[in-house]
Amino acid sequence: MTEIQLHGLELYGFHGVLPEERTDGQRFVFDIDLKVVDERAARSDRIEDAVDYREVVSLVREVSDGTAFNLLEALADAVARALHDRLPIVSVRVRVRKPDVSLGLPIDYSAVVVEFDGTR
């Protein structure tokens, strides 16, 4: 089994519960881990046999830009499901971080992790 990791993918989005989050927007950082059973890419060294990282990035952007989510949980779940449904993978782990979150005390970020293998 092969694991593909794309970490630190930063997008600007309009997700959140507060009105200013939905109007002003903020940064969201995605960490994506994909598990692939098919080893053809490792043997052939051909992009046609691989999960194309550009497609992963495009799908994350499509989900983030397509819907304004209230909760990180919903955003992470929608990204995980889209990746699982549209790519030749067996499981996916998506972490979404809000690095500019304001919670009244100093904090590096808030985050949610969703793991999806198609069984739920």
Side-chain angles (χ1 to χ4, degrees), residues 3-7 30-35 56 60 76-77 79-81 83-84 89-96 111-117 120:
E3 183 169 326
I4 298 168
Q5 299 180 338
L6 299 172
H7 288 194
F30 295 81
D31 298 327
I32 310 292
D33 300 326
L34 309 166
K35 289 195 178 170
V56 174
V60 173
D77 186 74
V79 168
R81 287 177 184 273
L83 292 168
H84 189 272
I89 60 174
V90 294
S91 67
V92 58
R93 180 180 185 271
V94 175
R95 178 170 74 163
V96 182
V112 168
V113 175
V114 169
E115 295 185 30
F116 186 68
D117 64 7
R120 58 182 176 122

Side-chain angles (χ1 to χ4, degrees), residues 8-66:
L9 171 61
E10 187 173 311
L11 297 174
Y12 202 81
F14 297 88
H15 313 293
V17 174
L18 302 176
E20 58 270 19
E21 292 177 307
R22 296 175 79 80
T23 57
D24 299 341
Q26 62 190 306
R27 293 182 305 141
F28 293 86
V29 181
F30 295 81
D31 298 327
I32 310 292
D33 300 326
L34 309 166
K35 289 195 178 170
V36 181
V37 174
D38 190 341
E39 300 289 334
R40 281 184 298 172
R43 290 189 303 274
S44 73
D45 196 28
R46 293 169 24 100
I47 190 66
E48 297 83 9
D49 296 331
V51 171
D52 190 330
Y53 305 165
R54 295 168 294 187
E55 188 174 358
V56 174
V57 170
S58 178
L59 284 170
V60 173
R61 180 183 297 279
E62 179 183 312
V63 171
S64 181
D65 289 352

